[in-house]
Amino acid sequence: MDSLIMKSLFFLFITFITMNSALAQNDMVLVISDTSYASLLEKELEVYKNDLESEGWNVNFLFKDKKYYSYSEFHKELVLQHSIQKMKGVVLIGNFPYEDDHLISCSECTFANSFFFSIKPDFWVSRIDPSLVTNLDNVALLKNYFKRNHEYRKSNYYWNNHINAISSIESYHDTINYYIHALYSLGSYLPNVVYSTDDFWKAVNESNATITEINVHGNRDLISVNNQIIKAEEILYNSHSKSRFIDLYSCYGGFPDKNNIASAFLFSPFSRVLAVSARSDLASINSQVHAHYVNSMNVVIGESFIKNYSWANHALPYYNGRILLGDGTLKLKK
C-alpha cells in the first residue's frame, strides 16, 4: 500500500513539474541585449529581470556582440532561439537589424493559409533602441527609460492620478483587447482635431490617458500639423506626455533611421511613455490626437500587437507595416 501511495505521489510530482515547466515555457520572454550593456546597465537590467519575474515571466537574457549585417541574418537567429526556447516574445535592447516587425517568424504564414485560418506570428518583438535618437548618450537614455519602466510597474501613483481625470475627447469603459491603431471605441468617439503645433502639444501633454493616439502627416524625421513642422529633436524635448503608451499613425513615423519620430516620443526624458506602436510605411491620416482612457484592463502590449495581425494584408505590395518600440512585456492595466 505504501509503495502504491509513493508511486502515486511520484507521478503527481512529475505531473506538477511538467505542468509548471509548460507554464514557464508559455510565459517565456527572451531579452536580447548588446553585450556592452551587460556591465553598463548591470543594476538596471537586474531590476528589470526581477520586475519581470515578479509578474510571472520566465526570463532569459542573451547578450550579443555579434554584428548582424541584414535582417534576414538576424531573423534566422530569432527563429533558432524560438525553436529552443518557445518564447512568447523578444525584447531587444540596442541596435539590431530592422524590418517591419509584422514579418517576424510565423510558421504557418502562407498566402493560402491566411485566407482560411487565423494566422499569427509565433512571437512578438519589441525594441528599446536609443541609437535612433541623435547626439545623446545612449546609456543615459536607457537608464532613464528603465527607471520609468520600474516606476510604472511598482507605483500606483499614475493610476490613482488618472482615474479621476475628465476627458471630453474619448473614454473607454470596458477592456480594450489590443494596442494598435485599430482601437475599437467601446464608449463615445469624438476626434480631437488639432489645427496648429500649439494645439498638438496641448493635446499630447495635457492628457494623462492610458493611450494617446496620434494621427498626423509626416516623414522619417518630422511630423506635420496642417503644414506646421515639428522635428524629432523638438519632440524629444517638448514631449511631456503622461500617457504610458502612444499609437503613432503617420507616414514613416516608425522608420528605423536617425531622428526617428517614434523613438523621440519613447526616450523623451520629460515624458512617461514606455511603448510606441508606429508605422514604418505610408499611411493616409489627418491631424488628430485621441486620448484613450481605460478603467479595466490587463493586456500584455506585445501580445496585443500581434493579436490583430493580418498576414494577408502584409503580403500585398503596399502594406503598412508597424514596429513596436519599447517594452512589449508591459501591461495595460488599471
Side-chain angles (χ1 to χ4, degrees):
M1 186 65 178
D2 289 342
S3 176
L4 181 60
I5 292 174
M6 289 299 294
K7 286 182 179 179
S8 298
L9 289 174
F10 175 76
F11 283 116
L12 283 173
F13 177 74
I14 293 298
T15 301
F16 175 77
I17 293 296
T18 302
M19 289 178 64
N20 275 354
S21 176
L23 287 173
Q25 286 293 326
N26 286 338
D27 291 325
M28 167 67 76
V29 61
L30 177 63
V31 181
I32 304 179
S33 172
D34 186 289
T35 302
S36 63
Y37 295 135
S39 57
L40 295 172
L41 298 173
E42 182 178 3
K43 179 181 178 181
E44 287 76 14
L45 294 181
E46 181 180 358
V47 171
Y48 179 52
K49 182 175 186 292
N50 291 337
D51 284 347
L52 291 174
E53 289 177 342
S54 70
E55 294 178 359
W57 290 100
N58 182 17
V59 187
N60 193 6
F61 274 80
L62 188 63
F63 293 96
K64 288 286 187 180
D65 55 9
K66 176 183 176 180
K67 178 71 174 178
Y68 296 94
Y69 293 97
S70 69
Y71 184 84
S72 175
E73 183 184 2
F74 182 57
H75 178 261
K76 291 178 182 178
E77 175 72 36
L78 295 180
V79 173
L80 172 64
Q81 292 301 325
H82 184 261
S83 69
I84 298 169
Q85 308 195 51
K86 304 300 181 189
M87 64 276 188
K88 271 190 171 181
V90 177
V91 178
L92 303 177
I93 303 175
N95 182 259
F96 295 93
Y98 280 83
E99 192 167 325
D100 296 323
D101 282 343
H102 284 300
L103 303 179
I104 57 180
S105 178
C106 191
S107 56
E108 296 181 352
C109 285
T110 67
F111 190 73
N113 284 349
S114 65
F115 286 99
F116 301 102
F117 304 101
S118 178
I119 302 300
K120 305 295 178 188
D122 298 326
F123 54 90
W124 48 261
V125 172
S126 65
R127 299 171 178 270
I128 306 173
D129 182 7
S131 72
L132 298 183
V133 180
T134 301
N135 298 327
L136 286 176
D137 183 344
N138 287 356
V139 174
L141 291 176
L142 287 171
K143 284 179 178 289
N144 178 273
Y145 176 84
F146 282 110
K147 179 176 180 289
R148 290 183 281 125
N149 190 301
H150 177 66
E151 289 173 349
Y152 170 73
R153 287 183 144 104
K154 298 303 179 184
S155 173
N156 291 322
Y157 168 78
Y158 171 71
W159 299 106
N160 291 336
N161 186 41
H162 105 278
I163 287 171
N164 297 322
I166 299 174
S167 170
S168 61
I169 303 173
E170 182 171 1
S171 292
Y172 278 22
H173 303 293
D174 286 306
T175 298
I176 301 174
N177 292 322
Y178 59 91
Y179 165 62
I180 57 174
H181 173 69
L183 294 163
Y184 290 137
S185 175
L186 302 178
S188 60
Y189 182 76
L190 181 62
N192 183 22
V193 179
V194 289
Y195 297 99
S196 66
T197 54
D198 287 342
D199 287 345
F200 175 83
W201 285 121
K202 182 177 180 180
V204 169
N205 289 339
E206 291 189 3
S207 168
N208 56 1
T210 307
I211 302 168
T212 294
E213 180 187 354
I214 299 173
N215 295 356
V216 287
H217 292 286
N219 58 32
R220 296 179 182 184
D221 60 356
L222 60 82
I223 58 177
S224 172
V225 181
N226 288 335
N227 295 319
Q228 296 181 35
I229 302 303
I230 302 176
K231 293 186 176 181
E233 187 174 5
E234 296 174 62
I235 293 172
L236 189 67
Y237 292 106
N238 289 341
S239 175
H240 291 70
S241 174
K242 303 176 188 68
S243 294
R244 299 295 180 161
F245 308 102
I246 286 182
D247 183 41
L248 179 61
Y249 189 75
S250 73
C251 296
Y252 299 108
F255 193 88
D257 205 351
K258 290 291 186 183
N259 294 306
N260 170 261
I261 299 299
S263 290
F265 280 108
L266 182 68
F267 285 107
S268 171
F270 312 110
S271 79
R272 294 183 176 181
V273 177
L274 294 173
V276 181
S277 172
R279 294 252 171 197
S280 55
D281 211 310
L282 296 174
S284 176
I285 55 299
N286 300 305
S287 295
Q288 298 177 349
V289 175
H290 309 296
H292 299 287
Y293 291 90
V294 296
N295 292 328
S296 177
M297 164 171 300
N298 195 27
V299 181
V300 175
I301 297 300
E303 293 174 6
S304 68
F305 187 76
I306 65 173
K307 182 175 182 179
N308 293 273
Y309 176 91
S310 175
W311 191 86
N313 290 341
H314 303 295
L316 299 176
Y318 300 104
Y319 63 84
N320 292 321
R322 299 180 72 84
I323 59 176
L324 180 60
L325 299 180
D327 182 2
T329 68
L330 292 165
K331 292 182 179 179
L332 291 172
K333 59 185 180 180
K334 182 174 176 180

